Amino acid sequence: MADQLPEIELEDRGSKGRYVLRGPGGAEAEMTFTKIGEHQLIIDHTEVPDVFRGQGAGLRLVTRAVEDARAAGKKIIPLCPFANAQFRRHPEWADVLKH
């Protein structure tokens, strides 16, 4: 059984930010975003180091962004290829997808 993944942390730096999972030895899985105004954000990059592979870390990061966007009434533009692919696999996220 795989170890429980750590909690996702949100680092908000004004117009930019990231969701991060911190792992052993300082490894970080991250998904970065850029805010566009008050109601939209662009997911621009997702990176998952090998130590997190096979644990669903990337999906967890995108899911957290979707949950936060939904709660805040925001829309997401998934420019990152990984995030874009996840949106295609999860039609239930259509309410936060910017068309």
Side-chain angles (χ1 to χ4, degrees), residues 28-88:
E28 293 182 343
E30 70 171 0
M31 185 191 68
T32 61
F33 62 86
T34 302
K35 295 177 191 171
I36 306 297
E38 293 292 312
H39 304 290
Q40 296 179 58
L41 62 91
I42 296 171
I43 296 176
D44 38 36
H45 179 70
T46 305
E47 185 168 343
V48 178
D50 287 341
V51 70
F52 289 105
R53 297 261 187 242
Q55 300 176 54
L59 176 58
R60 283 190 60 210
L61 292 167
V62 178
T63 300
R64 169 69 187 274
V66 167
E67 290 167 353
D68 288 356
R70 187 175 283 141
K74 295 183 179 181
K75 297 286 186 183
I76 294 175
I77 302 166
L79 289 185
C80 160
F82 176 80
N84 194 1
Q86 293 304 318
F87 268 89
R88 285 195 308 273

Side-chain angles (χ1 to χ4, degrees), residues 2-42:
D3 291 340
Q4 178 83 17
L5 280 173
E7 283 300 305
I8 296 171
E9 298 174 36
L10 170 59
E11 296 178 357
D12 191 334
R13 299 188 182 104
S15 65
K16 293 190 174 286
R18 71 181 187 145
Y19 290 94
V20 61
L21 281 164
R22 298 183 199 286
E28 293 182 343
E30 70 171 0
M31 185 191 68
T32 61
F33 62 86
T34 302
K35 295 177 191 171
I36 306 297
E38 293 292 312
H39 304 290
Q40 296 179 58
L41 62 91
I42 296 171

